[in-house]
Amino acid sequence: MEPLQLYDFLPSGNGYKIRLLLTQLGIPFERVEVNITKGETRSPEFLSKNPNGKIPVLEIEPGKYLSESNAIMVYLSEGTEFLPYDRFLRAQVLQWLFFEQYSHEPFIATPRYWISVLGKAEQYKDALEEKHKGGYAALSLMEEHLKTHTFFVAERYTIADICLFAYTHVAHEGGFDLSRFPHIKAWIERVKAESRYISITQEL
Amino acid sequence: MEPLQLYDFLPSGNGYKIRLLLTQLGIPFERVEVNITKGETRSPEFLSKNPNGKIPVLEIEPGKYLSESNAIMVYLSEGTEFLPYDRFLRAQVLQWLFFEQYSHEPFIATPRYWISVLGKAEQYKDALEEKHKGGYAALSLMEEHLKTHTFFVAERYTIADICLFAYTHVAHEGGFDLSRFPHIKAWIERVKAESRYISITQEL
């Protein structure tokens, strides 16, 4: 079988989710770098793969594309140890995945993009305040949950952990202070200890 | 079996998704009204059901709660005609569900909330401009897709349609002009023609 093609941008946490899962599943894939800071996701060629102009995009068969990182995560993990089979547990995984995209990523990923990817902390100073407020709310909710859970769902490592881990463990690159969240920090270490773990900017 | 308890707010599109699907599935449920404009989602009692302080929340068994509207939609539709069984088609449904929560709802639902629920169009005038820009981008993408599709996935009515319909069909209440999108308008009529359809503010 040909390796899967992953349209990706190395610093992206959304891209990293897919890279980490594919690696842990042992599924061969090739990265196609798309530099979002240079408008490469707005080219007609890329838009024909994802009209929403966002990475990651996974080509699962020639000409068959899937976008939205968390949809790709569910697709890849079905039938594996990374997604519970039980209906309610699977729904809880999805609950965290939607939480991540609605209440977490927009507040935690964007400051990191402004500060560490674009290097424009000063320009976005006012907007950062609002983002940090929402981001700390999401982190506080996670901290509370992790006080009584080792992983987010079913007391084991699932795609819920990978999806939340992607931007949480580099939140400091967006100006967040993770030292206020000891349970998150301990969970980050548990995720890093999983077999076949790779780091976010690890060249494959 | 006891009817399911749905913690809900009548004007909410996210709540409406669940109401519409439950009605079309013929599953008995009871609505518990939670007025989000009066801070009722921030009470300790409500936060014990959903620490993220958002409706809808579905109590699927006594003391067993599920939040995030689109996670609830997947939970309820599994094994029914509203969610395809094929793995790639199901992934496409999820792709649209994540698109809705990330690129659609934050831009289309919020202006409606400001203008029609809170009645504060003037106060949010500047923020509205930015929201409309994102909302029109989402609507344009949907319009393009509907030029060659009758429904969003698999050429039949699924939860992808319900989730996108919820806020799209009332987008004008947030100041959007839907007359620019003839294919969306035709799709809205197709959704409304589905059996057991109920309107967004229909008392049950």
Side-chain angles (χ1 to χ4, degrees):
Chain A
M1 203 177 79
E2 290 292 306
L4 298 177
Q5 299 281 311
L6 176 65
Y7 295 83
D8 190 11
F9 176 55
L10 196 61
S12 164
N14 287 326
Y16 172 54
K17 295 170 188 173
I18 317 298
R19 270 174 258 150
L20 179 53
L21 179 61
L22 284 170
T23 302
Q24 292 187 313
L25 284 169
I27 296 175
F29 68 102
E30 283 174 5
R31 290 182 63 250
V32 181
E33 187 75 356
V34 184
N35 192 327
I36 65 176
T37 69
K38 292 184 179 158
E40 291 176 9
T41 46
R42 312 305 308 176
S43 72
E45 200 210 330
F46 186 81
L47 290 172
S48 75
K49 297 176 175 72
N50 177 11
N52 204 22
K54 292 181 196 298
I55 59 92
V57 172
L58 188 66
E59 186 173 15
I60 55 173
E61 282 174 30
K64 223 169 160 180
Y65 300 98
L66 199 56
S67 60
E68 295 293 336
S69 58
N70 290 1
I72 300 172
M73 292 296 282
V74 174
Y75 174 82
L76 290 172
S77 64
E78 281 201 68
T80 78
E81 60 186 305
F82 296 90
L83 185 65
Y85 182 74
D86 174 82
R87 188 183 172 197
F88 184 59
L89 293 178
R90 214 165 50 234
Q92 287 183 314
V93 168
L94 279 175
Q95 180 185 293
W96 284 110
L97 264 52
F98 283 106
F99 165 81
E100 192 264 343
Q101 284 289 287
Y102 194 88
S103 301
H104 179 285
E105 199 262 23
F107 303 101
I108 295 180
T110 312
R112 174 173 170 268
Y113 185 72
W114 290 339
I115 295 173
S116 295
V117 180
L118 298 180
K120 293 184 175 172
E122 203 47 46
Q123 182 180 326
Y124 289 98
K125 209 178 156 197
D126 292 341
L128 270 172
E129 205 174 308
E130 196 61 24
K131 290 287 183 187
H132 279 164
K133 198 178 146 198
Y136 276 120
L139 292 170
S140 299
L141 190 153
M142 290 170 64
E143 177 74 6
E144 202 56 36
H145 188 75
L146 290 170
K147 278 182 186 166
T148 50
H149 299 84
T150 47
F151 291 105
F152 275 89
V153 178
E155 289 305 283
R156 61 186 179 87
Y157 181 64
T158 70
I159 58 168
D161 299 288
I162 299 179
C163 290
L164 286 163
F165 176 80
Y167 284 107
T168 302
H169 85 295
V170 289
H172 58 279
E173 297 177 12
F176 289 94
D177 176 12
L178 284 181
S179 71
R180 293 154 57 174
F181 304 103
H183 293 90
I184 290 180
K185 290 187 73 176
W187 163 78
I188 286 174
E189 292 311 312
R190 284 195 291 278
V191 172
K192 286 184 175 174
E194 287 289 323
S195 61
R196 302 203 199 198
Y197 173 80
I198 55 165
S199 74
I200 184 163
T201 49
Q202 193 166 320
E203 298 281 358
L204 299 166
Chain B
M1 202 177 80
E2 290 292 304
L4 299 177
Q5 300 280 312
L6 176 65
Y7 295 83
D8 190 11
F9 176 56
L10 196 62
S12 164
N14 287 326
Y16 172 54
K17 295 171 188 174
I18 316 297
R19 270 174 260 151
L20 179 53
L21 179 61
L22 284 169
T23 302
Q24 292 187 315
L25 284 170
I27 296 175
F29 67 102
E30 283 174 4
R31 292 182 62 250
V32 181
E33 187 75 355
V34 183
N35 193 329
I36 65 176
T37 69
K38 293 183 179 158
E40 291 176 9
T41 45
R42 312 305 308 176
S43 72
E45 200 208 331
F46 187 81
L47 290 172
S48 74
K49 297 175 176 73
N50 178 12
N52 204 22
K54 292 181 195 299
I55 58 92
V57 172
L58 187 67
E59 186 173 14
I60 56 174
E61 282 175 30
K64 224 168 159 180
Y65 300 99
L66 198 57
S67 60
E68 294 293 336
S69 59
N70 289 2
I72 300 172
M73 293 297 281
V74 174
Y75 174 82
L76 290 172
S77 65
E78 281 200 69
T80 78
E81 59 185 307
F82 296 90
L83 184 65
Y85 182 74
D86 174 83
R87 187 182 171 195
F88 183 60
L89 293 178
R90 213 165 51 233
Q92 287 183 313
V93 168
L94 278 175
Q95 180 185 293
W96 285 109
L97 264 50
F98 282 106
F99 165 82
E100 193 264 343
Q101 284 289 288
Y102 194 88
S103 301
H104 180 284
E105 200 261 25
F107 303 100
I108 296 180
T110 312
R112 174 173 169 269
Y113 185 73
W114 290 339
I115 295 173
S116 296
V117 180
L118 298 181
K120 294 185 174 172
E122 204 49 45
Q123 182 180 327
Y124 289 99
K125 209 179 156 197
D126 292 341
L128 271 171
E129 206 173 307
E130 196 60 25
K131 291 288 183 187
H132 279 163
K133 197 178 147 197
Y136 276 121
L139 292 169
S140 299
L141 190 153
M142 290 171 65
E143 177 74 5
E144 203 55 37
H145 188 75
L146 290 169
K147 278 182 185 164
T148 50
H149 299 84
T150 47
F151 291 105
F152 276 89
V153 178
E155 289 305 282
R156 60 186 178 86
Y157 180 63
T158 69
I159 58 167
D161 299 289
I162 299 179
C163 290
L164 285 163
F165 176 80
Y167 285 107
T168 302
H169 85 294
V170 289
H172 58 279
E173 297 177 10
F176 289 94
D177 176 13
L178 284 181
S179 71
R180 293 153 58 174
F181 304 103
H183 293 90
I184 289 179
K185 290 187 72 176
W187 163 78
I188 285 173
E189 293 311 312
R190 284 194 292 279
V191 173
K192 286 185 176 175
E194 287 290 322
S195 61
R196 303 204 200 195
Y197 173 81
I198 55 165
S199 74
I200 184 164
T201 50
Q202 192 166 320
E203 298 281 358
L204 298 167

